[in-house]
Amino acid sequence: MNFTRWSARFPGTQRRAAARTEHAAAQAKRGEGAVPAARGARPDPGAERSTPAADGHPADPTVSGTGTGSGTGSGSGSSSGPGTGTTPAQRTGVLTAVPSLDELSVREVLGRLPALVALVHGPEHRVAYVNDAYTAGFGARTPGAPAHEALPELGELGLLALLDQVQRSGRPRTAKNRTAPGGGSSYTVTCTPVGFPTPATGTTAASTAEADAHHTGILIHLADVTDHAEAVERLRASERRQREAAVTLQRSLLPQELEQPDDLRIAATYQPGGTEAAVGGDWYDVITLGAGRTALVIGDVMGRGVRAAAVMGQLRTAVRAYARLDLPPHEVLQLLDGLAAEIDASQIATCVYAVHDPNEGLLAYASAGHLPILVRDEHGTVRRAADPTGPPLGTGGWLHTSGTIALGPGSTAVLYTDGLVERRGEDIDEGVAALERALAGAQGTPSVICDRLMRALGVDADHDDDVAVMVLQQPARAGADAELFHNAALELLGGIEAAPRARAFAQGVLASWRFPVELCDLGVLAASELVANSLQHGTPPMRLRLRRTDRRLIIEVTDGDDHLPRRRRAEPADETGRGISIVATIASSWGSRRTPGGGKAVWCEFALPDK
C-alpha cells in the first residue's frame, strides 16, 4: 500500500500542505528562508526583532498568541488563523508569543476537561476539588469531607479500596469498565498520586512521615466509556446468538436417538466447547444394516462455526446413503473422500467407519486420519485398533484399506474425537494412553462409561474444544437372556437335493426355537426360496444360516458368486424370477451384499411378535 499517497487525502494533511506552499512562496518572493524563532515565535524579516527576556519570551509581545480555530495556544507553536495557515499578526510581521505550560492555570485546565476529575488528599481522602464535568455528573461536592461521605459514587464503583492502594504504594492504578449500580454509566478510572506542599514540621522522622501522609493527594480521572461498554455488550450478545445458532445446528444434525441393534448396547455424547471456543464439526452415527450387522461412524470436520457444522451434516447424510449399499468400510471412505473434496476443497475431515458382524464376533473398520478405536475385552485388557489409517477425507489420491479387531461377548469399544485426548503442550499419544487407563477401570452401562471417560479426561463446560464419544458393548448373556439368542447353520452340499434338506433343516430349527406355526411356515418358505435362488445362480461353497435374537428372525444364504440379485417383475409365462419378490413380500426386510472373501450373502428378516 502507498501510505504516503493514501495519507495525503486526510483533510489535516491537505491544510498543512497548503500552508507550507504559501509560506514557501512568500519566502521565495522575499528571497529569504529564515528559521522560525524558538518557542513558536516566527519573526518577520521586514519587522524589527524584539529582544527576548531572560526566560526566552519576547519582552514586549503585541499579540498574546492564543490564536483561533484549531490551534488554541497549547504550546505547540502551530497556531493558525482560519483558512490561511497563519495568524493576522504573523502576516503583518508582528512576533507571536506562545505561552509556556507554567503560565496555564491547573484549575482552568481541569475545569475544561470533558472527563470527570476529582482531587482528594490525606489518609481519609478528603475532597479538595471536583471539576465542572464531575459536578454535572454527580452533583456539587463539599470540600474537606471524606470521600466515603462526600463521594458515595466512588464506593458504588468499588474505588475506595483502590484509593487506599494508591495511597500506600504511591503508584497509579487503573480500573476499567466500572459500571454504577442500577445499570448506570460505565467509567474507566485512573487514580494518580500527587503531592501537596508540605509545611515545615518538626525534625523527627515520625513527624515528617505524618506530614507526608497528610499532604499526599490522589487525582481521580473518570472517563465515560458507556458507549464503548454498550458496544462491547452488543458484540458479546451477537457472538452468543451466533454460538447458540451454531450449537443448535450442530445438535440438530446429530442423531436425536441412537438406533439400538439386537446384539449391541450403544451410547454416545456430544459436548460443545466452552463459551470461548467456537462450535466444531464433531459427529457420530449408528446405522442398522440388516442381518444383525451394524455400522458405526464417528468423525471430525476441521474448522469451527456454522460452516464446519454444515459440512458435517452433509457428510453424515452421505454416510447413511453409502451405508445402505452395504459396502466394506474402506469403500465407504473412498466414496466419502471424493464427496468431501466436492463439498469444500478447503475443508478436510477425519472419520472412522466400522461394521459389527455378530456372526463373526469382529469389528471391521477403516480410518481416514482418525484416532484409533480402543477395545477392552472381558478380562479388562485394552487394545488399540492397529493400522491401516489413511489420510483425512478431502485430500484425495489415496486407496483406503480395512482392518478388523475382535469384539466378543463382554467387550467394550470406544470411538472418540481428538477433543477428548488432545491437550495443549502435550503429545496426543499421552492423551490416548490416559484414555486407555480410564477405559480399563470404567464399568457399567455405555452411558455411564461415557460420563466416566469425560470426567477422567477433564472435559467440562469450559473445555476448549468440542468432544464426541461413542461407547458400544457386546453383552455377555447368560440364563434366560441367552435363550433368546441362537445360531444354526447348514452347509449346502450336492445339487438340487440340497433344497429339500435345507427346508427340513429350517423346519426343525424353527420348531425347536418355539416360534408360532405361522412364523415357522413363513421362515421355511423364505429359506426355500433363498436356497433355490443360490442353487440356480450361485456357485459353491453355499451355506444356510438361521439366527434369532430377542426381536427378530434372520435367514441368510451365502455362496461364491458375487453377482447380487435384484427384484424384478416376472411375466405370466416365466417359470423363474419370482423368488426374491416372494421373499420381499413376506419378510419385514431383505437385502444382499458382497462378502469380503468373494461371493455374496442374501438375507431376509422377520420381526418377532411382541410378548
Side-chain angles (χ1 to χ4, degrees), residues 281 300-304 308 346-350 369 392 418:
D300 184 4
V301 177
M302 303 304 173
R304 294 287 185 268
S346 63
Q347 291 272 14
I348 62 174
T350 62
D418 59 356

Side-chain angles (χ1 to χ4, degrees), residues 19 22-23 26 30 42-47 63 68 79-96:
E22 181 180 349
H23 185 61
R30 292 192 297 265
R42 295 184 178 180
D44 191 314
V63 183
T68 60
S79 176
S80 62
T84 63
T86 58
T87 63
Q90 290 175 328
R91 291 196 298 272
T92 57
V94 180
L95 281 176
T96 300

Side-chain angles (χ1 to χ4, degrees), residues 112-310:
R112 297 194 177 203
L113 287 179
L116 285 67
V117 176
L119 183 63
V120 298
H121 72 94
E124 296 182 350
H125 311 303
R126 295 183 177 274
V127 179
Y129 168 79
V130 293
N131 70 346
D132 295 341
Y134 198 102
T135 301
F138 295 112
R141 294 294 182 262
T142 303
H148 67 274
E149 298 177 0
L151 305 175
E153 58 276 0
L154 298 186
E156 295 176 354
L157 295 172
L159 298 176
L160 296 179
L162 186 65
L163 295 179
D164 294 335
Q165 294 177 11
V166 175
Q167 184 82 24
R168 290 192 301 268
S169 65
R171 297 180 179 180
R173 294 286 190 272
T174 299
K176 296 182 178 180
N177 294 334
R178 293 294 179 94
T179 303
S185 301
S186 298
Y187 300 94
T188 291
V189 185
T190 301
C191 298
T192 306
V194 296
F196 290 97
T198 305
T201 58
T203 58
T204 63
S207 61
T208 302
E210 181 180 358
D212 291 342
H214 281 276
H215 293 277
T216 300
I218 299 175
L219 183 67
I220 307 171
H221 180 279
L222 295 89
D224 192 334
V225 294
T226 304
D227 292 342
H228 174 74
E230 291 177 352
V232 170
E233 183 57 33
R234 288 194 297 269
L235 179 60
R236 290 175 178 171
S238 176
E239 291 177 347
R240 286 194 298 268
R241 288 192 298 269
Q242 292 181 8
R243 174 179 169 77
E244 291 172 0
V247 171
T248 301
L249 175 63
Q250 171 84 347
R251 291 191 180 279
S252 65
L253 293 175
L254 292 174
Q256 304 304 304
E257 184 177 354
L258 291 179
E259 298 181 25
Q260 292 296 332
D262 299 349
D263 297 275
L264 294 177
R265 298 294 177 264
I266 304 175
T269 183
Y270 171 75
Q271 174 68 48
T275 56
E276 299 299 325
V279 176
D282 291 14
W283 55 291
Y284 56 82
D285 207 350
V286 178
I287 307 165
T288 301
L289 301 178
R293 302 166 71 251
T294 306
L296 308 120
V297 59
I298 193 166
D300 184 4
V301 177
M302 303 304 173
R304 294 287 185 268
V306 176
R307 179 58 183 168

Side-chain angles (χ1 to χ4, degrees), residues 288-541:
T288 301
L289 301 178
R293 302 166 71 251
T294 306
L296 308 120
V297 59
I298 193 166
D300 184 4
V301 177
M302 303 304 173
R304 294 287 185 268
V306 176
R307 179 58 183 168
V311 173
M312 175 273 290
Q314 295 179 75
L315 290 179
R316 176 176 175 254
T317 302
V319 168
R320 296 192 69 88
Y322 295 148
R324 298 304 177 189
L325 301 176
D326 214 340
L327 299 171
H330 65 276
E331 293 189 23
V332 173
L333 290 190
Q334 207 70 48
L335 294 173
L336 278 179
D337 186 28
L339 179 64
E342 294 178 4
I343 293 175
D344 190 342
S346 63
Q347 291 272 14
I348 62 174
T350 62
C351 179
V352 166
Y353 182 86
V355 176
H356 174 253
D357 190 340
N359 296 317
E360 306 294 337
L362 295 174
L363 193 65
Y365 65 91
S367 175
H370 206 80
L371 296 167
I373 301 173
L374 301 183
V375 177
R376 186 192 67 199
D377 61 20
E378 57 182 340
H379 305 293
T381 303
V382 178
R383 295 173 292 122
R384 297 187 190 185
D387 290 337
T389 298
L393 302 176
T395 57
W398 184 269
L399 292 178
H400 294 273
T401 56
S402 297
T404 59
I405 187 170
L407 188 70
S411 298
T412 301
V414 177
L415 291 77
Y416 52 96
T417 58
D418 59 356
L420 182 64
V421 296
E422 190 173 25
R423 300 293 181 271
R424 289 180 181 146
E426 296 183 7
D427 190 276
I428 196 169
D429 286 336
E430 298 178 7
V432 176
L435 179 59
E436 287 180 333
R437 294 190 294 270
L439 178 60
Q443 302 291 334
T445 63
S447 59
V448 171
I449 293 177
C450 278
D451 295 338
R452 290 181 176 177
L453 294 181
M454 297 279 277
R455 289 197 302 269
L457 273 295
V459 178
D460 53 21
D462 297 326
H463 195 58
D464 60 356
D465 194 6
D466 50 348
V467 178
V469 181
M470 181 188 297
V471 175
L472 54 135
Q473 288 181 338
Q474 169 83 336
R477 296 181 175 88
D481 190 29
E483 292 298 321
L484 300 177
F485 292 82
H486 288 288
N487 282 284
L490 173 68
E491 298 293 335
L492 300 176
L493 303 176
I496 59 174
E497 65 273 11
R501 289 201 306 270
R503 286 193 292 270
F505 174 78
Q507 182 69 46
V509 170
L510 297 181
S512 67
W513 289 347
R514 299 179 181 178
F515 285 149
V517 176
E518 181 180 358
L519 180 59
C520 287
D521 293 342
L522 292 177
V524 171
L525 176 59
S528 176
E529 293 295 337
L530 292 180
V531 169
N533 186 76
S534 181
L535 290 173
Q536 182 175 0
H537 302 287
T539 59

